[in-house]
Amino acid sequence: MNNNDAKMAARSGNASGRSKKEREGRRRPPSLGARAFVMTAALVVILDQITKLLVLGGVPLYHRIRVIPGFFDLTHIRNPGGAFGFMAAGSPGIRNLLFIGVSGIAMGMIVYFYRMTPKTHAWLASALAMIFGGAVGNLIDRLRFGEVVDFLYFYVGAYHWPAFNVADSAITIGITIFIAHVVLGKMPE
């Protein structure tokens, strides 16, 4: 490499002087593509928003409809906080800014990780799309209402699980698949 080549390489950010073809020799395998990601995330958002609209129109706030006595009810709860009511008692303005900001950062990271996930890891890619769709579904609620609509309520006797929604379910399933990949050593290199 002569002096002019070195100057050109330095200006282009290629200090090694290797050609583009040489630098791309270790490219990541292609992901499942934007279409699969958008379709999966959109399905989650659509199901989440339709079910929330049904609850908003059919179940008065704080009421419950018994579906399986002693185990499962439909309810209508508004959760101003995060998971399990985290920060529910905080200042609404700061809380919403924080949740919206964190959601935006998380969604950007999910898109990045999805793009880096090769086709050979379809379950992991689907999990990331589900997490993204769930985040969007709950973000829509935060932007519309300043809180999230929850309506699925499971319990056994005095033991209960906090009410949740379709978006929360998608996030939980996606995170479970992601953790399984980590624990089982199935993450892409």
Side-chain angles (χ1 to χ4, degrees):
M1 179 161 68
N2 65 33
N3 198 24
N4 285 338
D5 290 340
K7 287 179 186 177
M8 292 287 288
R11 270 189 256 143
S12 69
N14 180 14
S16 69
R18 296 184 315 161
S19 71
K20 182 176 180 180
K21 192 172 191 176
E22 291 171 325
R23 287 191 316 270
E24 291 179 353
R26 293 192 298 176
R27 287 186 88 183
R28 65 174 174 78
S31 70
L32 291 176
R35 184 177 186 162
F37 182 83
V38 170
M39 297 286 285
T40 303
L43 179 63
V44 169
V45 173
I46 290 166
L47 289 174
D48 179 64
Q49 292 300 302
I50 287 173
T51 55
K52 288 174 179 173
L53 283 172
L54 292 171
V55 168
L56 289 168
V59 182
L61 189 60
Y62 304 119
H63 282 75
R64 291 180 6 193
I65 299 170
R66 295 222 187 289
V67 177
I68 303 173
F71 182 69
F72 172 63
D73 294 347
L74 288 176
T75 189
H76 180 177
I77 307 267
R78 299 289 185 101
N79 179 4
F84 308 110
F86 174 69
M87 287 187 64
S91 164
I94 293 172
R95 179 182 59 230
N96 280 336
L97 279 175
L98 176 69
F99 285 133
I100 291 168
V102 168
S103 294
I105 292 168
M107 290 186 319
M109 290 173 59
I110 290 166
V111 169
Y112 172 78
F113 289 130
Y114 180 86
R115 291 180 48 120
M116 296 296 122
T117 303
K119 283 183 180 180
T120 57
H121 290 73
W123 279 97
L124 179 60
S126 298
L128 293 169
M130 290 173 70
I131 296 168
F132 186 89
V136 170
N138 282 338
L139 183 60
I140 290 169
D141 283 9
R142 289 215 182 274
L143 294 171
R144 285 180 65 199
F145 309 120
E147 53 197 3
V148 174
V149 176
D150 289 327
F151 58 91
L152 301 169
Y153 180 63
F154 287 88
Y155 59 97
V156 176
Y159 301 100
H160 72 276
W161 190 258
F164 59 98
N165 56 47
V166 172
D168 297 334
S169 299
I171 291 168
T172 302
I173 292 167
I175 288 174
T176 301
I177 294 169
F178 177 82
I179 290 171
H181 276 75
V182 171
V183 170
L184 299 173
K186 302 286 185 185
M187 294 297 285
E189 293 183 22

